[in-house]
Amino acid sequence: MNNSKLGNTSNVKEYDMAIERTLAIIKPDAVEQGYAGKILDDILGAGFKLLAIRQVHLTQAEAEAFYSVHRERPFFSSLVRFMTSGPCIPMALEKEDAIAGYRALIGATDPAEAADGTVRKKFAQNKERNAVHGSDSVENGQAEIGFFFTAKELLQG
Ligand code: GDP
């Protein structure tokens, strides 16, 4: 009796597992240099769906909280200074395999090691001022999207 219902449920599950969300940020260096439009063009051209976007100038407390996982690293205070140096553009993105797909689009943390054609290769200055952020896991993506956006602000459906 429940066969078709079970079949539908498992189909929906497979679909849900494939679609992921990531937080992207166009960082202050790229905004300041006028690269935001080109970077957004690369992101949308790669097929990411834009669920939410805003421009924000992070406070020191906000930048420290967002990068708290790096607080013991030697570059932490420099990173916080950089991220609070001007406005940045966070956005919530959705796509099949979004975490790996977005990281492939932006390239390695250090632009010197980033593949040709990647966002960081094209627009980053160095390992710190590296143009964009991307979440490194589905769980962190969810938490990082929640850092900048309420559930109501995300495009539905
Ligand atoms: P990501 O996931 O590729 O952004 O890299 P990480 O999570 O390892 O680092 C977070 C951010 O810290 C990077 O995007 C850089 O802006 C900065 N960062 C990482 N490693 C270094 C470093 O060795 N030196 C400096 N100055 N900044 C770094």
Side-chain angles (χ1 to χ4, degrees), residues 81-100:
R81 218 167 25 249
F82 161 52
M83 289 302 292
T84 57
S85 66
C88 65
I89 303 177
M91 62 190 98
L93 303 175
E94 187 175 83
K95 189 176 187 274
E96 197 165 317
D97 206 21
I99 297 293

Side-chain angles (χ1 to χ4, degrees), residues 27 67 70 73 75 78-79 82 103 108-109 120 127-130 132-134 136:
K27 292 184 177 180
Y67 279 116
H70 293 306
R73 309 286 286 277
F75 58 82
S78 176
L79 175 61
F82 161 52
R103 293 192 71 88
T109 306
R120 282 170 167 165
K127 196 171 184 182
E128 179 174 277
R129 300 172 70 83
N130 61 357
V132 282
H133 168 82
D136 63 4

Side-chain angles (χ1 to χ4, degrees), residues 8-73:
N8 284 343
T9 305
S10 80
N11 283 344
V12 167
K13 221 172 179 176
E14 277 171 35
Y15 180 82
D16 282 351
M17 281 170 71
I19 298 291
E20 296 175 354
R21 292 178 173 183
T22 187
L23 180 83
I25 305 177
I26 303 177
K27 292 184 177 180
D29 59 324
V31 173
E32 209 249 320
Q33 291 179 96
Y35 294 145
K38 289 190 170 94
I39 292 173
L40 187 57
D41 203 36
D42 280 0
I43 290 169
L44 298 180
F48 288 89
K49 181 171 164 186
L50 187 58
L51 302 181
I53 185 166
R54 71 149 45 105
Q55 182 164 234
V56 57
H57 194 145
L58 291 174
T59 64
Q60 180 168 336
E62 287 166 341
E64 286 175 353
F66 184 77
Y67 279 116
S68 62
V69 68
H70 293 306
R71 64 187 171 277
E72 305 299 339
R73 309 286 286 277

Side-chain angles (χ1 to χ4, degrees), residues 21 49-52 92 94 150-157:
R21 292 178 173 183
K49 181 171 164 186
L50 187 58
L51 302 181
E94 187 175 83
T150 65
K152 247 179 119 176
E153 289 171 317
L154 304 178
L155 190 71
Q156 309 292 322

